[in-house]
Amino acid sequence: MIRNPILPGFNPDPSICRVGEDYYIATSTFEWYPGVQIHHSRDLVNWTLVRRPLERKSQLDMRGNPDSCGIWAPCLSHADGLFWLVYTDVKRLDGNFKDAHNYIVTSPTIEGDWSDPVYVNSSGFDPSLFHDDDGRKWFLNMQWNHRTESYGGAPKHPAFDGILLQEWDAQTQSLKGPIKNIFAGSLLGLVEGPHLFKRNGWYYLTTAEGGTGYDHAVTMARSRQIDGLYEMHPDVHLITSKDAPDAVLQRAGHGQYVETPDGEAYHTHLCGRPMAPKRRCTLGRETALQKCVWRDDWLYLAHGSAVPAVHVPAPKDVEPLKQPIRIDYSFDQPELPKDFQWLRTPEPARIFSLTERPGALRLIGRESIGSWFEQALVARRQEHHSFRAETVLEFEPETYQQAAGLTHYYNRHKFHALVVTWHEKLGRVVTIFSCPGDFPHARMQFPIESGVAVPDGPVHLAMEIRENDLQFFYRSSQEADWTPIGPLLDAGVVSDEGGRGEHGSFTGAFAGMFAFDVTGRAKTADFLSFSYECI
């Protein structure tokens, strides 16, 4: 049995690819580095993160990318003995423009090194590459029309100006031939996320529509010719929860078709699991998988409704492996544990080290928390609505401009942080920085003002998130018991819908460690351990 979501936490825009008995799903990573997550499975039930291929400066540099820009909607495919990964690096969110640059990288294996990118175009985002059975390759992306009142956070339908198709020449590594707008979408609007596949002489086009909030949907159309005309699915939308507000899996849309070796049909999609009472998705947009059937050369969900199911039949009699309730991370290896990422920079040696202090993650204080350029913040995804995270920090600040600690983080407008810093009267203190969705100014609040003095030595920091509530804790190494610090904070604001609203942020909540030194002296902070526990 498949239990959705199959990839919990921030894993949106799933592109699925099968090679033999192996399935791979690529998901968007936005401003988090390295770029693109690729998970692997052999049964469609159990999935393992195996690669983040965009890992070098020559492939990806997102310094300066605004929040929720960066890597949008990758498309993973396999042909000619190669894996092909197509993706967008979005450089602007607000205003009329997106500045969305599309690239292709390749590799003979998922786990190996991927090529430097080949630039394709910038006419819109959500690119995909279709390998036809005659050997020709076709590049698709949505077209962005800046000549409307569309702006970040409140998209207007006219800006989503149809799906473009053009042939890709793998020999010259360039587009060729006419550019055709092959699909304007349905009345739902906001057409994006195109994927093509071919079956029984039909070209099938699935797109994402309705925006990535609660009106989201997978729309399906077909044509005998690759460039159309495309006729709409009898139900228009293959997958959607837009008319089912009580469904567990909300915001369903943007996915891709796949067949098993035995011809069974499945379709991925993103989804969100909102929390009452404000319907906020702290886990971001997650990846789910639906069983499908064919009728009259049209695809339908197997259970008979377009509303996605939580439990779905698997192609094999396999149960999900039991996931650990608690994970204790150590920093005694030369690389970060695979669950962790950082923000934007392709030069991680400037923000952290696993060798300068053996057994510790040393963060090198750079710019402030929320910087779009170079900040030392290393974090893992929140995968449960209720969890506890702990860390042990050695840090000796000399000024209030140096700080390090534990954070529940979404972006510069949405975070809470338990901070060790310096106060000119109290000495070294533990305090709280909070930015509960203040868009666009990102003004912080200080719930306990100057904070509480702490003795020399390691400081233990913890936070418990229980759905919409966050409580911080601390203790010194001489103390056995944890001390709550500060009031209950609004954890639900650290979500897609928090702050500027459901169309203004596209990632998810993280739990992690950070340090900054805005003096420019690069003060270091050593984190001796980190744990994440579902509660």
Side-chain angles (χ1 to χ4, degrees):
M1 184 66 69
I2 296 168
R3 189 183 190 286
N4 285 312
I6 55 173
L7 303 181
F10 162 48
N11 278 289
D13 311 322
S15 171
I16 191 166
C17 169
R18 179 179 65 84
V19 181
E21 299 285 336
D22 295 291
Y23 300 90
Y24 300 95
I25 289 178
T27 54
S28 301
T29 44
F30 290 81
E31 65 263 37
W32 290 90
Y33 210 98
V36 180
Q37 295 215 123
I38 300 179
H39 286 78
H40 169 258
S41 176
R42 290 183 65 86
D43 53 28
L44 296 179
V45 176
N46 297 292
W47 295 85
T48 303
L49 177 64
V50 293
R51 195 73 169 94
R52 294 190 186 103
L54 305 180
E55 59 185 351
R56 304 188 303 273
K57 185 177 181 180
S58 60
Q59 294 173 314
L60 180 64
D61 188 344
M62 297 185 291
R63 287 174 290 192
N65 284 22
D67 293 327
S68 289
C69 289
I71 302 302
W72 288 18
C75 173
L76 182 66
S77 60
H78 186 269
D80 310 324
L82 292 173
F83 287 95
W84 303 70
L85 182 67
V86 186
Y87 62 93
T88 311
D89 181 6
V90 178
K91 297 298 186 182
R92 178 174 175 176
L93 184 65
D94 293 326
N96 287 60
F97 296 95
K98 285 290 179 283
D99 294 322
H101 309 307
N102 296 317
Y103 302 92
I104 296 175
V105 293
T106 60
S107 175
T109 64
I110 290 287
E111 294 83 1
D113 288 337
W114 288 68
S115 68
D116 281 348
V118 174
Y119 171 76
V120 182
N121 67 12
S122 301
S123 54
F125 46 85
D126 291 6
S128 67
L129 187 65
F130 171 64
H131 309 270
D132 209 342
D133 49 20
D134 62 2
R136 299 172 76 182
K137 302 181 188 301
W138 299 89
F139 193 87
L140 300 94
N141 60 270
M142 65 79 66
Q143 179 170 240
W144 182 259
N145 185 348
H146 62 270
R147 302 172 303 171
T148 73
E149 294 181 357
S150 290
Y151 57 94
K156 306 293 183 184
H157 292 216
F160 292 73
D161 198 18
I163 303 301
L164 301 185
L165 174 78
Q166 190 175 11
E167 188 171 358
W168 174 256
D169 189 325
Q171 297 299 316
T172 63
Q173 296 191 317
S174 61
L175 294 168
K176 67 179 184 181
I179 304 170
K180 294 188 176 182
N181 194 323
I182 62 170
F183 187 65
S186 75
L187 293 177
L188 185 59
L190 304 172
V191 62
E192 57 187 338
H195 288 290
L196 271 175
F197 66 95
K198 194 174 184 180
R199 184 179 185 272
N200 292 345
W202 288 101
Y203 289 95
Y204 291 91
L205 177 66
T206 57
T207 61
E209 286 197 294
T212 195
Y214 288 91
D215 289 332
H216 211 23
V218 173
T219 301
M220 191 173 200
R222 72 181 184 186
S223 172
R224 288 295 187 182
Q225 306 298 323
I226 195 168
D227 55 357
L229 297 170
Y230 279 85
E231 61 175 306
M232 206 74 75
H233 190 285
D235 295 337
V236 183
H237 307 303
L238 174 65
I239 304 171
T240 187
S241 301
K242 66 183 180 65
D243 301 316
D246 295 327
V248 174
L249 304 179
Q250 290 292 315
R251 307 171 63 186
H254 199 133
Q256 191 174 17
Y257 176 78
V258 70
E259 284 188 4
T260 70
D262 296 328
E264 294 185 78
Y266 288 85
H267 203 288
T268 62
H269 63 94
L270 65 78
C271 63
R273 290 180 289 166
M275 292 185 300
K278 296 183 179 180
R279 300 191 88 200
R280 297 180 298 189
C281 297
T282 56
L283 306 184
R285 296 171 302 154
E286 307 172 282
T287 286
L289 184 65
Q290 300 298 319
K291 181 76 167 64
C292 300
V293 294
W294 286 97
R295 296 198 305 268
D296 300 323
D297 283 326
W298 283 112
L299 194 66
Y300 297 85
L301 297 193
H303 61 268
S305 167
V307 179
V310 173
H311 296 96
V312 174
K316 300 176 182 178
D317 187 17
V318 175
E319 289 299 318
L321 297 175
K322 185 174 290 188
Q323 299 299 314
I325 294 176
R326 178 184 172 103
I327 303 176
D328 291 292
Y329 298 97
S330 61
F331 301 118
D332 54 1
Q333 300 296 318
E335 295 183 351
L336 276 175
K338 65 179 182 179
D339 291 339
F340 289 86
Q341 287 180 276
W342 62 94
L343 287 162
R344 292 181 178 84
T345 179
E347 297 181 351
R350 284 187 50 80
I351 61 169
F352 70 83
S353 171
L354 289 155
T355 58
E356 289 183 9
R357 168 79 184 274
L361 171 63
R362 171 163 286 181
L363 295 188
I364 305 164
R366 298 294 182 188
E367 294 176 333
S368 60
I369 187 169
S371 167
W372 287 347
F373 290 86
E374 190 174 59
Q375 64 164 309
L377 191 157
V378 172
R380 58 148 291 157
R381 284 158 175 75
Q382 178 181 343
E383 295 181 351
H384 307 87
H385 285 128
S386 297
F387 75 96
R388 180 182 174 95
E390 298 179 12
T391 190
V392 181
L393 169 63
E394 288 189 354
F395 181 57
E396 299 296 333
E398 303 164 280
T399 166
Y400 63 83
Q401 291 184 309
Q402 298 168 338
L406 179 69
T407 184
H408 188 218
Y409 187 87
Y410 192 106
N411 61 23
R412 65 164 55 184
H413 307 110
K414 297 183 281 193
F415 68 86
H416 305 296
L418 185 59
V419 182
V420 176
T421 186
W422 179 262
H423 187 269
E424 49 270 41
K425 292 182 179 180
L426 299 175
R428 193 174 71 149
V429 296
V430 174
T431 189
I432 295 173
F433 295 169
S434 177
C435 188
D438 181 44
F439 178 83
H441 303 294
R443 288 170 294 213
M444 290 197 305
Q445 299 176 5
F446 304 92
I448 58 172
E449 298 181 348
S450 299
V452 179
V454 289
D456 293 341
V459 183
H460 297 244
L461 307 175
M463 60 182 176
E464 285 188 2
I465 282 78
R466 297 183 183 273
E467 296 188 343
N468 288 299
D469 296 327
L470 181 153
Q471 179 66 62
F472 283 123
F473 302 85
Y474 80 102
R475 66 181 176 89
S476 69
S477 293
Q478 293 77 37
E479 297 171 315
D481 296 328
W482 290 93
T483 301
I485 183 169
L488 279 179
L489 299 173
D490 183 4
V493 79
V494 185
S495 66
D496 288 357
E497 296 83 359
R500 67 187 297 183
E502 66 179 279
H503 287 116
S505 305
F506 306 128
T507 56
F510 282 71
M513 301 154 282
F514 76 96
F516 67 77
D517 183 353
V518 293
T519 71
R521 300 200 296 266
K523 184 73 173 179
T524 61
D526 292 334
F527 292 83
L528 308 185
S529 64
F530 187 90
S531 66
Y532 176 95
E533 180 180 9
C534 172
I535 57 175

mmCIF file of all heavy atoms in Angstrom, residues 264-282:
data_model
loop_
_atom_site.group_PDB
_atom_site.id
_atom_site.type_symbol
_atom_site.label_atom_id
_atom_site.label_comp_id
_atom_site.label_asym_id
_atom_site.label_seq_id
_atom_site.Cartn_x
_atom_site.Cartn_y
_atom_site.Cartn_z
ATOM 1 N N GLU A 264 0.938 -0.823 -15.425
ATOM 2 C CA GLU A 264 0.054 -0.135 -14.488
ATOM 3 C C GLU A 264 0.358 1.360 -14.509
ATOM 4 O O GLU A 264 1.512 1.774 -14.647
ATOM 5 C CB GLU A 264 0.226 -0.689 -13.077
ATOM 6 C CG GLU A 264 -0.228 -2.124 -12.909
ATOM 7 C CD GLU A 264 -0.135 -2.560 -11.451
ATOM 8 O OE1 GLU A 264 -1.024 -2.179 -10.664
ATOM 9 O OE2 GLU A 264 0.833 -3.266 -11.111
ATOM 10 N N ALA A 265 -0.684 2.155 -14.342
ATOM 11 C CA ALA A 265 -0.569 3.605 -14.501
ATOM 12 C C ALA A 265 -0.620 4.314 -13.155
ATOM 13 O O ALA A 265 -1.461 3.990 -12.297
ATOM 14 C CB ALA A 265 -1.693 4.121 -15.386
ATOM 15 N N TYR A 266 0.288 5.295 -12.985
ATOM 16 C CA TYR A 266 0.328 6.133 -11.787
ATOM 17 C C TYR A 266 0.596 7.577 -12.207
ATOM 18 O O TYR A 266 1.108 7.841 -13.298
ATOM 19 C CB TYR A 266 1.415 5.664 -10.817
ATOM 20 C CG TYR A 266 1.093 4.361 -10.117
ATOM 21 C CD1 TYR A 266 1.375 3.139 -10.722
ATOM 22 C CD2 TYR A 266 0.500 4.358 -8.852
ATOM 23 C CE1 TYR A 266 1.071 1.940 -10.086
ATOM 24 C CE2 TYR A 266 0.201 3.164 -8.213
ATOM 25 C CZ TYR A 266 0.487 1.969 -8.831
ATOM 26 O OH TYR A 266 0.177 0.784 -8.195
ATOM 27 N N HIS A 267 0.269 8.507 -11.312
ATOM 28 C CA HIS A 267 0.534 9.923 -11.584
ATOM 29 C C HIS A 267 0.938 10.598 -10.285
ATOM 30 O O HIS A 267 0.240 10.501 -9.278
ATOM 31 C CB HIS A 267 -0.707 10.609 -12.158
ATOM 32 C CG HIS A 267 -0.403 11.836 -12.952
ATOM 33 N ND1 HIS A 267 0.014 13.028 -12.371
ATOM 34 C CD2 HIS A 267 -0.439 12.076 -14.290
ATOM 35 C CE1 HIS A 267 0.209 13.927 -13.310
ATOM 36 N NE2 HIS A 267 -0.062 13.391 -14.494
ATOM 37 N N THR A 268 2.074 11.280 -10.313
ATOM 38 C CA THR A 268 2.486 12.054 -9.144
ATOM 39 C C THR A 268 1.725 13.377 -9.088
ATOM 40 O O THR A 268 1.155 13.830 -10.082
ATOM 41 C CB THR A 268 3.991 12.367 -9.174
ATOM 42 O OG1 THR A 268 4.269 13.180 -10.333
ATOM 43 C CG2 THR A 268 4.834 11.109 -9.205
ATOM 44 N N HIS A 269 1.744 13.998 -7.932
ATOM 45 C CA HIS A 269 1.227 15.359 -7.810
ATOM 46 C C HIS A 269 1.745 15.949 -6.508
ATOM 47 O O HIS A 269 2.116 15.234 -5.576
ATOM 48 C CB HIS A 269 -0.310 15.393 -7.828
ATOM 49 C CG HIS A 269 -0.973 14.679 -6.687
ATOM 50 N ND1 HIS A 269 -1.354 15.326 -5.525
ATOM 51 C CD2 HIS A 269 -1.320 13.376 -6.520
ATOM 52 C CE1 HIS A 269 -1.928 14.463 -4.713
ATOM 53 N NE2 HIS A 269 -1.911 13.272 -5.278
ATOM 54 N N LEU A 270 1.784 17.262 -6.456
ATOM 55 C CA LEU A 270 2.099 17.901 -5.182
ATOM 56 C C LEU A 270 0.814 18.043 -4.384
ATOM 57 O O LEU A 270 -0.297 17.974 -4.908
ATOM 58 C CB LEU A 270 2.790 19.253 -5.389
ATOM 59 C CG LEU A 270 2.058 20.406 -6.052
ATOM 60 C CD1 LEU A 270 1.076 21.098 -5.108
ATOM 61 C CD2 LEU A 270 3.045 21.432 -6.567
ATOM 62 N N CYS A 271 0.969 18.245 -3.086
ATOM 63 C CA CYS A 271 -0.189 18.421 -2.219
ATOM 64 C C CYS A 271 0.251 19.160 -0.961
ATOM 65 O O CYS A 271 1.451 19.326 -0.701
ATOM 66 C CB CYS A 271 -0.815 17.071 -1.842
ATOM 67 S SG CYS A 271 0.278 15.991 -0.877
ATOM 68 N N GLY A 272 -0.715 19.590 -0.178
ATOM 69 C CA GLY A 272 -0.446 20.205 1.106
ATOM 70 C C GLY A 272 -1.395 19.642 2.146
ATOM 71 O O GLY A 272 -2.524 19.255 1.829
ATOM 72 N N ARG A 273 -0.924 19.587 3.389
ATOM 73 C CA ARG A 273 -1.760 19.100 4.495
ATOM 74 C C ARG A 273 -1.949 20.234 5.503
ATOM 75 O O ARG A 273 -1.130 20.416 6.398
ATOM 76 C CB ARG A 273 -1.115 17.886 5.154
ATOM 77 C CG ARG A 273 -1.124 16.642 4.274
ATOM 78 C CD ARG A 273 -0.480 15.464 4.971
ATOM 79 N NE ARG A 273 0.963 15.624 5.098
ATOM 80 C CZ ARG A 273 1.731 14.876 5.900
ATOM 81 N NH1 ARG A 273 1.192 13.938 6.656
ATOM 82 N NH2 ARG A 273 3.032 15.072 5.941
ATOM 83 N N PRO A 274 -3.014 21.011 5.341
ATOM 84 C CA PRO A 274 -3.195 22.181 6.196
ATOM 85 C C PRO A 274 -3.601 21.816 7.616
ATOM 86 O O PRO A 274 -4.210 20.774 7.861
ATOM 87 C CB PRO A 274 -4.307 22.954 5.490
ATOM 88 C CG PRO A 274 -5.088 21.896 4.764
ATOM 89 C CD PRO A 274 -4.080 20.876 4.337
ATOM 90 N N MET A 275 -3.248 22.696 8.537
ATOM 91 C CA MET A 275 -3.634 22.539 9.923
ATOM 92 C C MET A 275 -4.776 23.500 10.255
ATOM 93 O O MET A 275 -4.785 24.644 9.811
ATOM 94 C CB MET A 275 -2.452 22.837 10.850
ATOM 95 C CG MET A 275 -1.323 21.833 10.771
ATOM 96 S SD MET A 275 -0.052 22.179 11.992
ATOM 97 C CE MET A 275 0.456 23.822 11.506
ATOM 98 N N ALA A 276 -5.707 22.999 11.041
ATOM 99 C CA ALA A 276 -6.775 23.854 11.553
ATOM 100 C C ALA A 276 -6.180 24.812 12.593
ATOM 101 O O ALA A 276 -5.154 24.510 13.205
ATOM 102 C CB ALA A 276 -7.862 22.979 12.185
ATOM 103 N N PRO A 277 -6.789 25.971 12.836
ATOM 104 C CA PRO A 277 -8.020 26.443 12.191
ATOM 105 C C PRO A 277 -7.772 27.333 10.976
ATOM 106 O O PRO A 277 -8.722 27.705 10.288
ATOM 107 C CB PRO A 277 -8.680 27.255 13.310
ATOM 108 C CG PRO A 277 -7.505 27.854 14.043
ATOM 109 C CD PRO A 277 -6.415 26.812 13.999
ATOM 110 N N LYS A 278 -6.507 27.690 10.692
ATOM 111 C CA LYS A 278 -6.222 28.681 9.655
ATOM 112 C C LYS A 278 -5.810 28.082 8.319
ATOM 113 O O LYS A 278 -5.454 28.805 7.400
ATOM 114 C CB LYS A 278 -5.136 29.646 10.149
ATOM 115 C CG LYS A 278 -5.554 30.472 11.351
ATOM 116 C CD LYS A 278 -4.467 31.456 11.744
ATOM 117 C CE LYS A 278 -4.885 32.310 12.926
ATOM 118 N NZ LYS A 278 -3.831 33.289 13.318
ATOM 119 N N ARG A 279 -5.822 26.756 8.195
ATOM 120 C CA ARG A 279 -5.469 26.069 6.949
ATOM 121 C C ARG A 279 -4.088 26.494 6.464
ATOM 122 O O ARG A 279 -3.902 26.908 5.320
ATOM 123 C CB ARG A 279 -6.506 26.309 5.851
ATOM 124 C CG ARG A 279 -7.905 25.849 6.192
ATOM 125 C CD ARG A 279 -8.780 25.880 4.959
ATOM 126 N NE ARG A 279 -8.702 24.617 4.218
ATOM 127 C CZ ARG A 279 -9.032 24.483 2.939
ATOM 128 N NH1 ARG A 279 -9.389 25.544 2.230
ATOM 129 N NH2 ARG A 279 -8.958 23.315 2.348
ATOM 130 N N ARG A 280 -3.093 26.357 7.342
ATOM 131 C CA ARG A 280 -1.720 26.704 6.979
ATOM 132 C C ARG A 280 -0.888 25.426 6.863
ATOM 133 O O ARG A 280 -0.972 24.543 7.711
ATOM 134 C CB ARG A 280 -1.109 27.649 8.018
ATOM 135 C CG ARG A 280 -1.852 28.979 8.099
ATOM 136 C CD ARG A 280 -1.254 29.920 9.117
ATOM 137 N NE ARG A 280 -1.290 29.404 10.475
ATOM 138 C CZ ARG A 280 -0.989 30.117 11.563
ATOM 139 N NH1 ARG A 280 -0.616 31.377 11.440
ATOM 140 N NH2 ARG A 280 -1.046 29.584 12.752
ATOM 141 N N CYS A 281 -0.075 25.357 5.803
ATOM 142 C CA CYS A 281 0.713 24.161 5.503
ATOM 143 C C CYS A 281 2.170 24.389 5.906
ATOM 144 O O CYS A 281 2.980 24.867 5.098
ATOM 145 C CB CYS A 281 0.624 23.817 4.022
ATOM 146 S SG CYS A 281 -1.043 23.413 3.458
ATOM 147 N N THR A 282 2.516 24.054 7.142
ATOM 148 C CA THR A 282 3.892 24.249 7.598
ATOM 149 C C THR A 282 4.854 23.301 6.890
ATOM 150 O O THR A 282 6.048 23.593 6.793
ATOM 151 C CB THR A 282 3.998 24.036 9.117
ATOM 152 O OG1 THR A 282 3.497 22.747 9.447
ATOM 153 C CG2 THR A 282 3.235 25.093 9.868
#
